[in-house]
Amino acid sequence: MSSDNPPQSPEQSRKPRVAVVFGGRSSEHAISVVTAGAVLRAIDRTKYDVLPIGIAADGRWALTADDPERMAITGRELPSVAQLADSPDGTVVLSADPTSREIVYTEPGAVPKALGDVDVVFPVLHGPYGEDGTLQGLLELAGVPYVGSGVLASAVGQDKEYMKRVFTSFGLAVGPYEVIRPREWENDRDAARRKIADFAGDHGWPLFIKPARGGSSMGITKVDGFDGLDEAIEEARRHDPKIIVEALLRGREIECGVLEFEDGPRASVPAEIPPVSSHDFYDFEAKYIDSSPGLVPAPLTAEQTERVRELAVRAFDAASCEGLVRADFFLCEDGEFVINEINTLPGFTPISMYPRMWQESGVSYPQLVDLLVQAALRRTTGLR
């Protein structure tokens, strides 16, 4: 036997194990399940071992069926981890020992079963308890590399108030906004209403009342005056006790994807979200139920295209992002771009704009998934 090709140990020769973690405790649970189905369908099984792990709405980690077809929206029925879990009582535990990376499965009355080490986690959780830095902190403590941004960038990307503060400090234009913190509404509603009234006096109606740390357009209400304002606030507070009030920006909705390559982040061709005639704005149902196809690439001039791509990468860098970001802008009537928000773990559903923009940019869905996993495997956990 030639000494040039020594035999590999089983550990050396095995494929990297990717844990796709999805579901979660936020109101975006179902969309996360749909996203996981698309990722599981696309990931290269000849290159990676795949372990689907669902987080139920109550926070329990569960082994789930590796069955993308059951993870889709059927009609108006949304999927859940509870429907996919192998057992109603089984629990998956990630070792907190950074030298181990071991996944253990336990069921009541049974001996815990080691499922082996995980090399990288692909989180497709949206909203609080997943996209906001909490899961990322857990993975940092466990020493497990993961797809996407770290703790700080994830937290900034989830909180619309601090996201806007960061962007402003880096010279990116944001729209007018006001924040109502939990104690303001709970302790003095009249004062909170006056704060909103003053904001409306400066910027006019309508206003958008949003959860400050929500996503998938859930809990958002467009209000044209004081009638319905309290109801809009309470609807937003069902998702987050802190709310953000935003002025209407008149213009076109433009999105751009950013992807981390070995030589740094690059921007995709942009897309445009056209109005959905049956909806007043781009809410949850307009996105996921009655969706319009979106225009990819967006019908922009060459100069506008270059400008929004530059701004998307600037936003990525401003928030210290890693892996991927979808940056959402308004192209206002004066011709200027205003950044609305970034999503550090944007949707990967079959109709999601992020993979569609990269498809148009020459990166197929399977290639996109592979690039994200490879970027995560190149990074270490901890300070970097």
Side-chain angles (χ1 to χ4, degrees):
M1 180 180 293
S2 171
S3 60
D4 293 335
N5 296 291
Q8 292 182 311
S9 70
E11 185 65 22
Q12 290 174 318
S13 62
R14 74 169 178 83
K15 295 179 286 188
R17 182 170 292 116
V18 179
V20 178
V21 180
F22 62 96
R25 295 162 57 188
S26 83
S27 55
E28 298 175 76
H29 178 99
I31 298 307
S32 174
V33 176
V34 176
T35 299
V39 171
L40 289 170
R41 191 178 294 111
I43 197 166
D44 186 351
R45 304 305 179 101
T46 68
K47 192 171 182 179
Y48 305 107
D49 284 331
V50 180
L51 180 66
I53 298 175
I55 301 179
D58 62 3
R60 178 176 65 93
W61 290 42
L63 280 183
T64 68
D66 187 358
D67 188 353
E69 301 307 316
R70 292 173 56 197
M71 298 180 178
I73 296 175
T74 305
R76 291 178 178 268
E77 293 296 319
L78 302 176
S80 71
V81 167
Q83 298 166 349
L84 298 162
D86 288 351
S87 163
D89 302 311
T91 300
V92 170
V93 178
L94 174 65
S95 172
D97 179 359
T99 66
S100 172
R101 297 184 181 178
E102 188 173 62
I103 293 284
V104 176
Y105 179 70
T106 64
E107 282 191 272
V111 176
K113 178 182 178 183
L115 301 179
D117 289 356
V118 166
D119 298 290
V120 64
V121 167
F122 198 132
V124 291
L125 296 140
H126 303 308
Y129 311 111
E131 190 179 353
D132 60 349
T134 50
L135 176 67
Q136 290 75 14
L138 173 65
L139 296 173
E140 292 284 352
L141 290 172
V144 180
Y146 52 92
V147 168
S149 291
V151 175
L152 174 64
S154 297
V156 168
Q158 187 64 37
D159 191 309
K160 293 177 175 61
E161 176 193 1
Y162 288 98
M163 182 196 308
K164 293 176 188 292
R165 291 181 183 273
V166 167
F167 290 155
T168 300
S169 72
F170 277 83
L172 295 164
V174 303
Y177 70 96
E178 187 59 88
V179 175
I180 305 296
R181 302 183 187 283
R183 64 176 177 272
E184 292 181 83
W185 184 249
E186 293 160 5
N187 295 344
D188 193 341
R189 295 191 176 192
D190 286 339
R193 293 187 190 100
R194 287 194 299 271
K195 188 175 180 180
I196 296 173
D198 290 343
F199 181 76
D202 291 336
H203 302 288
W205 300 92
L207 301 176
F208 291 90
I209 312 298
K210 301 180 176 182
R213 294 162 291 194
S216 294
S217 296
M218 288 184 166
I220 299 176
T221 306
K222 179 182 177 184
V223 293
D224 296 307
F226 286 105
D227 288 345
L229 178 61
D230 282 17
E231 290 84 353
I233 292 172
E234 292 297 346
E235 171 60 20
R237 282 171 52 83
R238 286 200 313 111
H239 301 269
D240 185 352
K242 183 170 82 167
I243 67 167
I244 191 165
V245 181
E246 294 180 349
L248 173 67
L249 292 177
R250 300 187 185 278
R252 298 160 61 187
E253 294 191 47
I254 306 296
E255 298 184 348
C256 192
V258 181
L259 179 63
E260 182 184 3
F261 291 80
E262 286 193 64
D263 60 352
R266 303 179 204 168
S268 70
V269 301
E272 180 169 4
I273 307 299
V276 180
S277 58
S278 58
H279 295 264
D280 203 20
F281 63 96
Y282 199 42
D283 62 4
F284 176 84
E285 291 214 350
K287 278 186 176 181
Y288 297 107
I289 306 297
D290 303 320
S291 61
S292 60
L295 304 174
V296 187
L300 301 171
T301 67
E303 292 78 13
Q304 289 171 330
T305 296
E306 186 59 31
R307 177 61 174 162
V308 76
R309 293 179 71 190
E310 174 202 346
L311 290 171
V313 173
R314 282 179 58 189
F316 183 95
D317 287 336
S320 298
C321 295
E322 296 169 287
L324 72 164
V325 150
R326 194 193 73 230
D328 300 346
F329 297 86
F330 289 104
L331 176 55
C332 297
E333 293 175 340
D334 63 2
E336 295 298 318
F337 284 100
V338 171
I339 189 164
N340 183 37
E341 64 179 20
I342 58 171
N343 280 266
T344 55
L345 284 173
F348 273 75
T349 68
I351 62 172
S352 293
M353 297 307 296
Y354 185 85
R356 288 186 58 202
M357 288 187 286
W358 279 108
Q359 177 76 42
E360 188 67 24
S361 304
V363 180
S364 70
Y365 194 107
Q367 288 173 324
L368 180 60
V369 170
D370 186 62
L371 284 168
L372 290 168
V373 173
Q374 289 299 315
L377 287 169
R378 286 195 302 270
R379 290 195 299 268
T380 59
T381 54
L383 298 177
R384 54 187 182 273

